Amino acid sequence: MKLTTELIFDCLLEQYDITYAQSSNRNTVVGRPFFYDSGTDRPGHICILPSNDIKPESLGSGAYISIGKLPCDIPAPNVEWMSLPETVQPVQLLNALQKIFNYYDAWENELNRLIDEDANYPAIIKCSSKYLDCAMSLVDANFSVIAISSKDADTFRNPDNKISDSIMGDLITDPHFGQGLHKEGIFEFNSGVDLFISHNIKKEGRYLGRVTLIYNNKLSKDAYIYLLRFLVSKLDVMLRISGSFLINNESMSSLREIFIGLLNNTPMESQYITYKLKEIGWSYEDEYIIIRLQPEFRHEWQLHATYLIPHLEKLWPGSCAVEKDAYVAVFLNLDVYNEKSEKSFLQDLAYFLRDGLLLAGLSRSFHGLDKLPSYYRQTELAVAIGREVNPMYWYYRFDDYVLLHLLKFGTQNFTPEQICSKVLLNLYEYDQNNNTEFYKTLRTFYRNKFNYTHAAESLYIHRTTLIKRIERIARLTGVDLDDSDENLYIELSFRYLDNIIGSTI
């Protein structure tokens, strides 16, 4: 890890009586130390001058550290020069510098290890607070405390893990705090007692949260600013991996990785997927659905993904949410949701969308995870078609508009189970599991234009038997034979399936 000359100066000042001079720039970023060798240029490193015999005019731009008095004049441009007392040995100085670099290298290595192991944000803040020796916090855009290092953390947040009411009151009434929400880079915020050094974390221009440290005078402000900027670079890496400030265990992070990968057609081993699903009590054979969320009014974009993602996963049991194409895509395990929630999902969804001024497109439910891009496409089509027909609705189910899609676009590369009437798909599956012929019965009934007598003759059964079968089919599937639109959809589905019904659908 490279360090600034200001940070090196602060660290050496704890041990030595050090002096500092510069001809122009200060706070240069430098790498590990080297002894000066005449004629050898080591740009980007701090250079030890073991002798006072070296004349300043012979040096090029860079950062130097010597033993003895500082030169009276530094004619070369962009030179930083530190000097230690003559009692310090050159090797002693080298070891002191190496120790400083080793200390911050250990911090960087620890952060990299935590990121590689998919650790959470509190682990990152705890690690950094230890190395920087100051209190730190990470708070999201909705004032939820993602991580805090202070021993008195409970006094700063309420039981809902939000910033405490007293602190919140002080913040929102301070005009400097509101102005800070729009700032870029590092900035300072003085509460009257403590000096806070903060950095706003943003994504595509949207404010996501803020990381803050409390200035304690152990290092200079410039040194803390440099270290905070380095920490932010690691938090940005974490944010790109996790997609939000959600504190997750490894299993849920892996599920999010799987969901994103499958949505993007990234090949993944089925054994790995099965193992990760099993870790959280899910199964490949469970019933799933995809919900895509978007703002009700596209020109008033207020979809805060980093807030919605953890909120949704807490609100809906069995859900995994990610940011996709500037929307939020929710992968919902309906079996888990129905087991853990007493609410009707569609009713719960409607309330949520209305309160948040959001719209949603819903795929049809499915089993298995090998065709997620097609089901995600259904969420897009559901909204696109549904808003033309029912512009005042909060959510749009693909199954409600699939007939319009067929008439307008045809099958559009959807597979039978993704586009055909679920009445027929469910009948076909029921026949396979129960050795019945309900699919054939209904197909014959349609071919004979709902004439019970002719259909019964074609099936070589009694007319009464056919009537009872049709009644049973209606109970099993909920089909409404008096609905002209549904009859058209079923007939189109029959035509599509006629060519492939001999294969597995």
Side-chain angles (χ1 to χ4, degrees), residues 22 28 43 111 179 231 241 342 344 360 372 378 406 432 493:
Q22 75 279 348
T28 304
L111 291 179
Q179 295 168 7
L231 172 59
I241 293 172
E342 298 179 355
S344 161
L372 289 192
Q378 288 183 356
L406 274 172
Q432 300 303 303
S493 298

Side-chain angles (χ1 to χ4, degrees), residues 462-477:
H462 196 276
R463 185 175 184 275
T464 303
T465 302
L466 176 61
I467 293 174
K468 290 181 179 180
R469 281 193 190 178
I470 297 298
E471 290 174 349
R472 180 73 186 284
I473 289 170
R475 289 196 299 272
L476 284 173
T477 64

